[in-house]
Amino acid sequence: ILYPHESVNGTRKVVDIEKYPISKKYLTKHKEVLSSRTYVIEAGRKWYEIWVPHDPLLWEQPKIIFRDISEKPTFWLDTEGTVVNGDCYWFVVDKNNPNLSWLALAVSNSSFIENFYDKKFNNKLYSGRRRFITQYVEQFPLPDPSTDLSRNIVEMAKTIYDRTGKLDTSILENELDNLIWDSFGVSRPN
């Protein structure tokens, strides 16, 4: 992976390409195309920078990843330090309150969120796909995490996660979906 940013004393910085002659040689082959990205140049960035840099120190941390464009919400937990592809977004799991992350993961993958998304943002693309971009996802509601219902949602989400790929989880997933609707005090549509 060729990544043109690094963390120095907790601050993200562009790498000095002169220190990496092999990378410089590769990037220079593509300099014309890379330099033509006027939005990068106009933002005061180096010709070889990427538009949306991430903090490489955060890659190692557990995170929730989600597809940018998808017909249905597709959020998953990464605990392996994956470098996230450019067609996905991600946020770091709250180490001080991991159950909140499980709650967010469960709600984000629910039919409730599909319904919420369609009513709140009304933004469908080709073939019924939705954009799950940060400005939408940050507005997703969460039920009160201190309730018994929310604690049940968290435990069921963990159980489904542990069983995925080993056992059929479809019945549990349906029960979880119903719990999420209940946690917001509304009935799941038929």
Side-chain angles (χ1 to χ4, degrees):
I1 294 173
L2 177 58
Y3 193 74
H5 297 93
E6 61 186 341
S7 291
V8 178
N9 298 324
T11 302
R12 185 186 61 237
K13 295 178 71 169
V14 64
V15 297
D16 178 358
I17 199 167
E18 298 302 324
K19 292 180 180 177
Y20 304 95
I22 295 170
S23 297
K24 179 182 178 185
K25 182 179 177 181
Y26 171 79
L27 289 169
T28 301
K29 288 180 188 176
H30 304 282
K31 186 172 183 177
E32 184 179 339
V33 171
L34 292 170
S35 295
S36 70
R37 301 172 304 153
T38 55
Y39 57 92
V40 173
I41 306 305
E42 289 170 1
R45 305 232 176 121
K46 307 276 188 204
W47 61 268
Y48 56 88
E49 283 190 71
I50 59 173
W51 178 240
V52 183
H54 297 280
D55 182 349
L57 293 178
L58 296 179
W59 286 338
E60 293 297 319
Q61 295 186 28
K63 57 191 161 293
I64 293 177
I65 304 171
F66 50 102
R67 288 196 176 114
D68 174 5
I69 299 173
S70 181
E71 190 175 326
K72 297 206 169 277
T74 309
F75 291 71
W76 66 96
L77 178 66
D78 169 58
T79 58
E80 298 176 7
T82 304
V83 176
V84 180
N85 199 4
D87 62 351
C88 294
Y89 293 96
W90 55 279
F91 58 90
V92 175
V93 169
D94 183 352
K95 289 180 183 177
N96 297 320
N97 192 353
N99 285 342
L100 193 58
S101 298
W102 283 103
L103 186 60
L105 193 59
V107 171
S108 296
N109 280 310
S110 69
S111 65
F112 174 85
I113 279 302
E114 284 183 67
N115 190 282
F116 174 85
Y117 178 101
D118 292 345
K119 287 183 175 28
K120 173 95 174 166
F121 309 118
N122 193 25
N123 182 14
K124 283 204 178 172
L125 305 172
Y126 55 92
S127 303
R129 287 173 170 75
R130 298 170 178 94
R131 295 278 327 260
F132 291 96
I133 54 181
T134 304
Q135 70 189 41
Y136 295 161
V137 172
E138 69 186 5
Q139 294 183 55
F140 285 5
L142 289 180
D144 180 351
S146 68
T147 67
D148 287 340
L149 194 50
S150 288
R151 284 191 283 276
N152 289 341
I153 289 170
V154 166
E155 291 310 311
M156 193 171 289
K158 289 178 181 179
T159 299
I160 291 168
Y161 178 84
D162 289 339
R163 292 182 182 178
T164 297
K166 302 171 197 157
L167 299 168
D168 180 16
T169 59
S170 57
I171 292 172
L172 282 176
E173 289 171 27
N174 189 52
E175 288 177 26
L176 176 59
D177 204 53
N178 286 330
L179 286 177
I180 291 165
W181 282 90
D182 291 347
S183 72
F184 289 103
V186 291
S187 299
R188 181 177 173 182
N190 294 330

